[in-house]
């Protein structure tokens, strides 16, 4: 039972909440085995989902969801997983070969996997694919360092280089062949990068901290990712090609990480508050945060039809799921306005408490 003096505070905090319940839908066919976990990794404009299933022994299987679950196989080894899918249904990921080496692959429904090779080392990992079928990812070189790659016009791996350090990782590629990811500086710290064919690798900087990472890019060149802050927290960012915009400041708490962006510039990501996870959607200049249990536990991608792919986490098990991004926020306001409303609510509650002490003889309503 709420005390009357606390009711206004409770009601106002509820009204100022920047969260809203998302319409989360688990993908059919993934729950056939209750001991298996699944995650939706990417989703294309047609609603096809690149996903991964993990059994109770930790074995991973790359799968495609297209009105049902289709196993994509391996390159002769035991494990595989997906990382991306384009609108033609071409899937990119990594699979073990007969020697147990991980290799980047491309595969289409009904066709065998294509091993993309390496940069001279023993392994490679595919992370993204664009409409032209150009894949991006990272592979180890003969000297043992991972380097970001993209496929050139002939289908061969192109080493994208670094920012002066030894390693780099590509995470996304758009239809113009622009690639983003993370690369090491000479001092070992890592920075988000943008690579354009013919221009080389560009350091995108940080939000005041030492490191940053880019995770997605759309065809307008808008880039998302996360950057360390001066206080060592991490904030999601949106980069327009000129400057890095702090999306984490609109959230106002926790560590935030942007994981995907669609053609409209709508951004999805995750917020970590200790052991708790929340999902967020940033669209049309407004930030929407879904409270724990009200959105996806993992957010990995967003398609042009506003479907977000990821996973829920129930009974200590991930389950591949989607949710819509276009729900209307309860209060589409920034952090300062939110905190101002909280302060006003607290002030109202304190005032009522003082009145209650002064007029003890007046019966207060019971709730």
């Amino acid at each position: 039972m709420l005390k009357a003096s606390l009711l206004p505070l409770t009601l106002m905090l509820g009204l100022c909440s920047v969260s809203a319940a998302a319409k989360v839908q688990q993908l059919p066919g993934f729950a056939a085995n209750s001991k298996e976990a699944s995650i939706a990794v990417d989703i294309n404009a047609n609603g096809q989902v690149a996903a991964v299933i993990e059994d109770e022994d930790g074995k991973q299987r790359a799968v495609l969801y297209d009105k049902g679950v289709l196993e994509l196989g391996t390159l002769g080894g035991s494990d595989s997983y997906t990382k991306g899918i384009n609108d033609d249904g071409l899937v990119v990921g990594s699979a073990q070969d007969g020697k147990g080496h991980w290799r980047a692959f491309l595969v289409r429904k009904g066709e065998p996997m294509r091993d993309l090779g390496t940069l001279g080392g023993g392994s490679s990992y595919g992370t993204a694919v664009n409409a032209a079928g150009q894949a991006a990812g990272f592979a180890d070189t003969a000297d043992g360092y991972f380097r970001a790659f993209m496929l050139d016009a002939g289908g061969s791996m192109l080493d994208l280089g670094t920012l002066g350090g030894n390693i780099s990782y590509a995470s996304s590629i758009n239809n113009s062949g622009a690639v983003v990811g993370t690369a090491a500086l000479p001092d070992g710290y890592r920075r988000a990068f943008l690579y354009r064919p013919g221009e080389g690798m560009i350091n995108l900087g940080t939000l005041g901290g030492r490191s940053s990472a880019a995770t997605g890019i759309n065809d307008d060149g808008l880039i998302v990712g996360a950057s360390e802050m001066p206080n060592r927290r991490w904030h999601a960012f949106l980069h327009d090609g000129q400057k890095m915009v702090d999306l984490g400041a609109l959230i106002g708490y926790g560590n935030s990480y942007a994981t995907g962006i669609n053609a409209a510039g709508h951004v999805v990501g995750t917020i970590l508050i200790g052991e708790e996870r929340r999902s967020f959607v940033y669209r049309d200049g407004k930030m929407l945060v879904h409270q724990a249990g009200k959105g996806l536990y993992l957010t990995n991608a967003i398609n042009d039809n506003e479907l977000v792919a990821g996973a829920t986490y129930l009974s200590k098990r991930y389950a591949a799921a989607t949710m819509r991004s276009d729900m209307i926020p309860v209060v589409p306001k920034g952090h300062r306005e939110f905190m101002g409303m909280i302060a006003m609510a607290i002030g109202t509650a304190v005032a009522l408490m003082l009145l209650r002490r002064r007029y003890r003889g007046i019966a207060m309503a019971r709730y």
Side-chain angles (χ1 to χ4, degrees):
M1 185 174 291
L2 294 173
K3 292 184 178 180
S5 57
L6 297 181
L7 183 61
L9 174 61
T10 304
L11 289 176
M12 289 194 73
L13 287 180
L15 289 173
C16 355
S17 172
V18 294
S19 66
K23 296 180 180 178
V24 175
Q25 180 178 358
Q26 291 191 5
L27 295 177
F30 283 92
N33 187 335
S34 62
K35 294 182 180 180
E36 291 184 335
S38 59
I39 296 173
V41 178
D42 196 14
I43 184 168
N44 67 15
N46 301 313
Q48 294 175 306
V49 176
V52 60
I53 294 175
E54 184 176 282
D55 66 21
E56 57 184 325
D57 297 320
K59 179 182 176 181
Q60 296 180 334
R61 309 193 311 273
V63 297
L64 169 67
Y65 176 79
D66 185 12
K67 300 177 182 178
V69 178
L70 174 67
E71 302 271 351
L72 297 177
T74 71
L75 290 167
S78 61
D79 289 53
S80 60
Y81 62 86
T82 67
K83 288 295 289 183
I85 184 171
N86 70 10
D87 287 345
D88 289 331
L90 186 62
V91 177
V92 66
S94 303
Q96 288 182 322
D97 64 16
K99 297 180 180 180
H101 297 143
W102 285 98
R103 293 296 183 93
F105 71 76
L106 285 172
V107 66
R108 197 183 302 274
K109 184 177 179 180
E111 298 179 4
M113 278 187 178
R114 173 190 165 195
D115 185 339
L116 300 185
T118 74
L119 288 171
S123 61
S124 58
Y125 301 84
T127 58
V129 60
N130 66 11
Q134 285 183 297
F138 55 94
D140 58 358
T141 59
D143 56 6
Y145 293 108
F146 280 116
R147 293 291 181 85
F149 76 80
M150 64 179 290
L151 297 186
D152 62 21
S156 299
M157 279 192 181
L158 175 66
D159 185 340
L160 302 187
T162 72
L163 290 172
N166 293 322
I167 58 176
S168 57
Y169 306 88
S171 56
S172 183
I173 182 171
N174 70 10
N175 290 328
S176 299
V179 178
V180 296
T182 308
L185 300 172
D187 60 10
Y189 289 113
R190 300 181 184 185
R191 294 288 176 86
F193 75 77
L194 167 64
Y195 174 93
R196 292 192 184 98
E199 297 182 18
M201 193 174 283
I202 302 169
N203 183 344
L204 296 180
T206 73
L207 290 170
R210 299 168 296 182
S211 302
S212 59
T215 56
I217 182 171
N218 69 8
D219 287 342
D220 288 332
L222 296 176
I223 302 164
V224 295
S227 171
E228 188 182 47
M229 303 293 291
N231 63 3
R232 301 298 180 258
R233 287 190 177 277
W234 284 78
H235 278 192
F237 72 73
L238 174 64
H239 199 292
D240 62 5
Q242 300 296 323
K243 63 182 182 301
M244 190 176 282
V245 178
D246 185 354
L247 298 184
L250 298 177
I251 298 168
Y253 54 83
N255 293 296
S256 54
Y257 307 86
T259 54
I261 184 169
N262 66 8
H266 300 159
V267 182
V268 296
T270 299
I271 306 164
L272 299 182
I273 310 168
E275 296 298 318
E276 181 182 315
R277 284 177 178 261
R278 300 179 182 181
S279 58
F280 75 80
V281 177
Y282 175 76
R283 49 177 291 146
D284 307 321
K286 300 172 184 177
M287 179 64 70
L288 173 63
V289 174
H290 305 295
Q291 297 287 356
K294 302 297 184 182
L296 292 174
Y297 187 81
L298 298 178
T299 56
N300 291 321
I302 177 172
N303 72 6
D304 295 340
N305 295 320
E306 304 302 334
L307 276 177
V308 183
T312 57
Y313 188 66
L314 300 171
S315 302
K316 298 183 179 180
R317 185 174 66 89
Y318 292 111
T322 61
M323 73 175 186
R324 293 204 59 83
S325 75
D326 52 359
M327 291 75 62
I328 299 175
V330 177
V331 179
K333 294 181 179 294
H335 178 59
R336 289 186 179 179
E337 294 167 286
F338 177 54
M339 294 306 295
M341 294 177 73
I342 291 178
M344 182 173 66
I346 293 173
T348 302
V350 170
L352 285 176
M353 288 174 67
L354 293 174
L355 285 172
R356 187 180 184 188
R357 290 182 179 179
R358 183 174 181 180
Y359 299 106
R360 292 180 184 272
I362 299 177
M364 301 292 287
R366 297 174 63 85
Y367 298 92

